[in-house]
Amino acid sequence: MKKFATLLLVPILLLLGACKSIQSEPVEAMVISDCTGVYLQIEGLDYLVCNQNLVKSKVGQSVKVSFEKISECPEFKNKAVCLMYHKNEGLVRISALY
């Protein structure tokens, strides 16, 4: 019985872990910006936007977005970055703007 429970539990945990990084349901976010980049602020947490061109004109506005957490952002390669620190929850790529 323990073996069956383990076989059932492992795939469920893997699925839950994989789903954490993708926000497929639209969420309300405030678009904020400083010299370090453009961020989505959701429930008091800031997420650095990789494809900033989608929301750069929406700074200071509330938007509905779907996004995916990512580990690397090719758009930031060879880009000058200001030396100010902006605490954030990681990189995101916006998949849809509503």
Side-chain angles (χ1 to χ4, degrees), residues 41-62:
Q41 189 172 66
I42 303 165
E43 297 178 2
L45 301 174
D46 295 348
Y47 298 87
L48 182 57
V49 178
C50 191
N51 50 342
Q52 298 178 1
N53 57 321
L54 290 178
V55 289
K56 206 167 198 167
S57 65
K58 307 257 187 227
V59 172
Q61 298 177 27
S62 181

Side-chain angles (χ1 to χ4, degrees), residues 5-82:
T6 302
L7 288 174
L8 184 63
L9 189 58
V10 169
I12 291 171
L13 291 175
L14 289 174
L15 282 173
L16 287 174
C19 293
K20 270 180 141 176
S21 65
I22 298 173
Q23 178 59 48
S24 58
E25 289 296 317
V27 295
E28 285 285 328
M30 177 64 72
V31 180
I32 61 173
S33 176
D34 61 24
C35 70
T36 63
V38 178
Y39 298 83
L40 294 177
Q41 189 172 66
I42 303 165
E43 297 178 2
L45 301 174
D46 295 348
Y47 298 87
L48 182 57
V49 178
C50 191
N51 50 342
Q52 298 178 1
N53 57 321
L54 290 178
V55 289
K56 206 167 198 167
S57 65
K58 307 257 187 227
V59 172
Q61 298 177 27
S62 181
V63 295
K64 259 194 177 175
V65 294
S66 293
F67 62 88
E68 178 181 357
K69 278 192 93 170
I70 57 175
S71 59
E72 292 183 12
C73 183
E75 289 91 334
F76 293 164
K77 205 169 201 159
N78 300 323
K79 184 177 177 185
V81 179
C82 88

